[in-house]
């Protein structure tokens, strides 16, 4: 691949002792920005009940607080990556960081649930700008042989922020207010801005696209919206409901139209030649399957800890520390290992560990102790680290430099789609099992059949979240909780099968083959 200028990334910072463009300071800067987004993802989940109470929001409104953000993020990620490729990843990153912090402040000052939802959507758009730009900056700052280590540390920061989210969020909501959960992004955003202005060097390829594929953006954005929205709503609408089929079918048609258009566009949004790279294509699908298994499975664990074991949100966050702690430690180690032996062996091994962890968690019951839970959480954290780092390096490293932003957007979009799909599909699997198990367990515990009509339906829906009716005998509560755990067990078995399929895909991955050293414009 031809480049007009090749920059020695290791030597450049030492010339005159300048900070600008230093690889490790670049990593520090983008880590601060990504930390803000990762932290926000988990603290908001803790704040939702307080937001609902304070603003008198309906359950549908609270769903939109999360869904609106996820939709904006998923729809805009690849386009945001293209913006970084066109205008430079430094500018895109700084706009994303400032916008994310500003919309966080606006959410804190919002006086109605409608304003919270609006600013959450805008927050998702700025988050979409920030994340692919961060990967593009790392790709431009580090030579190929050190990129995996940088991505490993980047992944460790995400793991640490995700782990801290429930604990920080719980403490802030309990001792300050829900608005403070959003206000904490303001100082972090200011730090990211200052570091970005001092440290980041705007690195972009000379042959990056000079125009935007507007029809491609419209088609891909529409397809992503219909896909993610259809997945989000499928559990409540029903997978066979005409509305669900309309959205999912529309997404498929829009994706086909997008693929056809990319063949004729002068400067396509996502050149289809990108997917001629088998490792890149395998890495993208691997990311979807990994996110399906992990995010779909971990969704139930929070309910298991809080509703079955009766833990407070902060305590639940502490109990998840063995998993997130292993991700924090394991990500940089995975980066080092991938640098030595390549991504294939660590990715396959990681997915096999994840498969074993999923199968282990399928054996948990209502009386499982902390030791059993911690064992499987540790194994999952160790398994996911090399997959997160390796798949990201495979996707970004096998893309041409002028498409590094698009590749970063592709990686993030794959995670969003996989996570949404896993939560919805495994949620449907679990709901089906709970619905079939609850009547028998209820009758065994009470000697009476499960109530019919709205009361029985309400009991089933509560059981799908592990919530037992208040003030009932322990045997009745155990019946509800064991129904939930039986559903969770089936969901984890399905997640294990998906994780095993991802291990097979890992055999097709390899180290990035495209050169770094792009043309630099300051």
């Amino acid at each position: 691949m031809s480049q007009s200028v090749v920059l020695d990334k290791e030597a450049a910072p030492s010339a005159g002792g300048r900070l600008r463009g230093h690889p490790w300071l670049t990593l520090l800067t983008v880590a601060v920005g990504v930390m803000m987004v990762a932290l926000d993802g988990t603290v908001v989940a803790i704040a939702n009940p307080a937001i609902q109470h304070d603003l008198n929001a309906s359950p549908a409104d609270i769903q939109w607080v999360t869904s609106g953000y996820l939709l904006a993020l998923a729809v805009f990620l690849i386009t945001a990556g293209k913006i970084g490729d066109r205008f430079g990843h430094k500018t895109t990153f700084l706009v994303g960081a400032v916008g994310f912090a500003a919309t966080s402040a606006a959410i804190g000052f919002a006086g109605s649930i409608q304003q919270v939802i609006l600013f959450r959507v805008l927050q998702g758009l700025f988050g979409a700008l920030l994340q692919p730009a961060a990967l593009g900056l790392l790709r431009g700052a580090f030579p190929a042989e050190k990129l995996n280590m940088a991505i490993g540390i980047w992944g460790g920061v995400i793991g640490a922020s995700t782990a801290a989210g429930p604990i920080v969020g719980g403490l802030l909501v309990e001792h300050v207010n829900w608005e403070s959960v959003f206000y904490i992004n303001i100082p972090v955003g200011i730090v990211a801005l200052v570091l970005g202005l001092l440290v980041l060097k705007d690195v972009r390829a000379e042959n990056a696209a000079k125009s935007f594929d507007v029809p491609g953006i419209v088609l891909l954005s529409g397809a992503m919206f219909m896909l993610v929205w259809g997945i989000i709503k499928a559990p409540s609408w029903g997978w066979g409901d005409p509305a669900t089929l309309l959205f999912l079918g529309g997404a498929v048609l829009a994706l086909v139209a997008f693929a056809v258009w990319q063949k004729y566009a002068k400067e396509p949004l996502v050149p289809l030649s990108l997917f001629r790279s088998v490792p890149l294509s395998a890495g993208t699908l691997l990311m979807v399957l990994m996110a399906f298994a992990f995010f779909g499975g971990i969704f139930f664990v929070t309910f298991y800890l809080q509703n079955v074991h009766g833990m407070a949100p902060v305590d639940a966050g502490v109990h998840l520390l063995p998993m997130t702690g292993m991700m924090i430690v394991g990500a940089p180690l995975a980066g080092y290992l991938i640098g030595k032996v390549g991504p294939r062996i660590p990715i396959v091994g990681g997915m096999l560990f994840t498969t074993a962890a999923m199968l282990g968690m399928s054996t948990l019951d209502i009386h499982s102790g902390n030791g059993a839970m911690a064992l499987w959480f540790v194994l999952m954290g160790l398994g996911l680290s090399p997959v997160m780092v390796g798949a990201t390096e495979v996707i970004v490293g096998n893309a041409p430099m002028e498409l590094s932003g698009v590749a970063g957007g592709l990686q993030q979009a794959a995670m969003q789609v996989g996570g949404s799909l896993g939560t919805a599909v495994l949620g449907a699997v679990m709901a089906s099992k709970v619905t079939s198990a609850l009547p028998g367990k209820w009758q065994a515990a009470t000697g009476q059949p499960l109530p019919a009509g709205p009361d029985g339906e309400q009991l089933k829906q509560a059981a799908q979240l592990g919530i037992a009716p208040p003030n009932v005998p322990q045997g009745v509560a155990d019946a509800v909780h064991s129904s939930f755990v039986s559903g969770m067990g089936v969901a984890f078995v399905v997640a294990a099968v998906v994780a095993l399929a991802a291990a097979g895909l890992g055999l097709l991955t390899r180290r990035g083959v495209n050169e770094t050293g792009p043309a630099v414009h300051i």
Side-chain angles (χ1 to χ4, degrees), residues 102-174:
T103 49
S104 296
I107 294 169
F109 286 111
S112 69
I113 190 63
Q114 289 77 19
Q115 290 177 1
V116 170
I117 293 169
L118 171 63
F119 290 123
R120 279 287 283 168
V121 170
L122 292 175
Q123 193 183 42
L125 294 176
F126 284 114
L129 282 174
L130 194 152
Q131 296 191 70
L135 284 172
L137 287 164
L138 292 181
R139 170 72 194 278
F142 282 85
E145 67 274 11
K146 293 188 177 180
L147 179 61
N148 43 71
M149 177 61 75
I151 291 177
I153 296 172
W154 172 84
V157 171
I158 293 177
S161 303
T162 303
I167 300 171
V168 172
L171 291 173
L172 288 174
V173 171
E174 184 177 348

Side-chain angles (χ1 to χ4, degrees), residues 82-100:
K82 193 72 169 184
I83 290 172
D85 290 335
R86 171 64 181 85
F87 295 108
H89 297 301
K90 173 182 177 178
T91 301
T92 307
F93 176 85
L94 293 178
V95 170
V98 171
F100 197 92

Side-chain angles (χ1 to χ4, degrees), residues 1 56 92 122 136 152 170 176 247 273 306 328 364-365 431 443 451:
M1 182 179 65
N56 297 315
T92 307
L122 292 175
V176 187
F247 273 93
S273 59
Q306 294 184 47
I328 294 167
L364 296 176
D365 58 35
Q443 185 156 5

Side-chain angles (χ1 to χ4, degrees), residues 289-290 292-294 296-297 350-363 380 426 488-504:
L289 296 181
M290 182 278 294
F292 180 106
F294 174 62
M351 287 314 306
L352 290 176
F353 276 159
T354 303
T355 302
M358 294 291 183
L359 289 174
M361 284 196 282
S362 73
T363 67
M380 180 174 285
L426 295 182
M488 185 178 76
V490 174
F492 271 121
V493 169
V494 174
V497 172
V498 173
L500 187 61

Side-chain angles (χ1 to χ4, degrees), residues 346-426:
I347 286 175
V348 173
M351 287 314 306
L352 290 176
F353 276 159
T354 303
T355 302
M358 294 291 183
L359 289 174
M361 284 196 282
S362 73
T363 67
L364 296 176
D365 58 35
I366 61 175
H367 301 298
S368 294
N370 292 336
M373 288 188 282
L375 172 63
W376 304 124
F377 291 161
V378 165
L379 191 60
M380 180 174 285
L382 285 174
L384 286 170
S385 296
V387 180
M388 284 285 293
V389 176
T392 301
E393 196 273 342
V394 166
I395 295 169
V396 177
N398 279 287
M401 184 61 212
E402 67 271 16
L403 293 174
S404 61
V406 168
L410 193 64
Q411 182 262 5
Q412 292 290 321
M415 284 190 63
Q416 293 297 324
V417 170
S420 299
L421 191 61
T423 303
V425 172
L426 295 182

